[in-house]
Amino acid sequence: EVQLVQSGAEVKKPGESLKISCKGSGYSFTNYWIGWVRQMPGKGLEWLGIIYPGDSNTKYSPSFQGQVTISADKSISTAYLQWSSLQASDTAMYYCARLDAVVGRTILWYFDLWGRGSLVTVSS
Amino acid sequence: EIVMTQSPATLSVSPGERATLSCRASQSVSNNLAWYQQKPGQAPRLLIYGASTRATGLAARFSGSGSGTEFTLTISSLQSEDFAVYYCQHYHAWPPMYTFGQGTKLEIK
């Protein structure tokens, strides 16, 4: 089965570090970009960044550059999202999603496969 | 930065009726536009990409249209399972950006 399996819910205190994971299976993990998307409580979707596990090429949204770190370990088909010092405002559901593309007159990119999400709660 | 604006914020429609959701880009995005559905407690699900191509296995009652700055997602005959939040999303090549609209909540009338 083609799927992305995310790590479980986390409860952390402000200032703590955290690394959440997203493991792909059922497809060639190194051949697709993986993106991370944030959803704060009751709010919409925000894109954080993407990584190409084949060579760890990473691109960040300007809004999240320097706030989070995206990495991947292709040997275990896993992508990561990490924080060095969490804040209460990081409380959200975080989704990983596979980026697919159709090449025609232009390249059309879209997130075709999503993980179930990892809930991160930061509270003192 | 391209801004995606969805309207209305909330749409109330009766089962069996047609629903029309709009997404407007602040500048032309050609046909690089996708639609996602999100039900409570679930991850988003891809519905449409390239403005009008249905994702694999998607029911034919869903259709996407538009190009440039104006896009529409139409659900021809609403089923109970279609009541959810819908997001449009644009991809920008450089710098790479995947901008989502703020969402339209489709609720039962």
Side-chain angles (χ1 to χ4, degrees), chain A residues 28-34 51-57 72-74:
Chain A
S28 179
F29 188 73
T30 54
N31 288 350
Y32 290 83
W33 291 82
I34 291 288
I51 187 165
Y52 190 74
D55 61 5
S56 289
N57 186 7
D73 185 341
K74 64 182 180 182

Side-chain angles (χ1 to χ4, degrees), chain B:
Chain B
E1 178 185 342
I2 296 175
V3 177
M4 308 302 292
T5 303
Q6 293 185 239
S7 62
T10 303
L11 181 62
S12 300
V13 183
S14 300
E17 294 189 341
R18 174 188 297 260
T20 303
L21 289 68
S22 296
C23 176
R24 173 177 292 179
S26 59
Q27 58 186 278
S28 178
V29 299
S30 185
N31 66 333
N32 210 325
L33 192 286
W35 289 95
Y36 302 85
Q37 176 195 67
Q38 187 178 33
K39 297 180 181 179
Q42 296 186 18
R45 167 197 175 198
L46 175 69
L47 299 177
I48 301 284
Y49 63 91
S52 61
T53 302
R54 278 191 293 272
T56 303
L58 184 66
R61 64 180 181 275
F62 290 89
S63 63
S65 63
S67 181
T69 62
E70 301 284 343
F71 301 89
T72 300
L73 175 69
T74 301
I75 311 171
S76 60
S77 178
L78 279 166
Q79 307 296 304
S80 57
E81 62 266 30
D82 300 334
F83 293 95
V85 179
Y86 292 82
Y87 295 93
C88 63
Q89 175 247 317
H90 160 63
Y91 159 75
H92 185 263
W94 190 261
M97 287 291 293
Y98 297 83
T99 307
F100 291 93
Q102 80 279 19
T104 290
K105 182 180 180 180
L106 180 58
E107 63 177 28
I108 300 175
K109 187 174 182 179

Side-chain angles (χ1 to χ4, degrees), chain A residues 43-57:
Chain A
K43 302 299 183 182
L45 305 172
E46 302 172 275
W47 170 69
L48 282 71
I50 54 173
I51 187 165
Y52 190 74
D55 61 5
S56 289
N57 186 7

Side-chain angles (χ1 to χ4, degrees), chain A residues 90-102:
Chain A
D90 294 316
T91 294
M93 181 71 82
Y94 292 87
Y95 295 100
C96 64
R98 187 179 73 173
L99 194 58
D100 200 359
V102 170

Side-chain angles (χ1 to χ4, degrees), chain A residues 9-81:
Chain A
E10 302 273 3
V11 180
K12 293 289 190 178
K13 293 183 175 359
E16 292 185 332
S17 63
L18 176 65
K19 191 174 189 177
I20 61 176
S21 66
C22 169
K23 182 176 177 61
S25 62
Y27 73 97
S28 179
F29 188 73
T30 54
N31 288 350
Y32 290 83
W33 291 82
I34 291 288
W36 287 95
V37 175
R38 182 176 82 173
Q39 187 167 40
M40 300 178 76
K43 302 299 183 182
L45 305 172
E46 302 172 275
W47 170 69
L48 282 71
I50 54 173
I51 187 165
Y52 190 74
D55 61 5
S56 289
N57 186 7
T58 308
K59 304 180 190 299
Y60 292 93
S61 163
S63 299
F64 293 94
Q65 179 85 47
Q67 308 305 309
V68 297
T69 301
I70 295 171
S71 60
D73 185 341
K74 64 182 180 182
S75 68
I76 55 172
S77 300
T78 301
Y80 301 97
L81 177 66

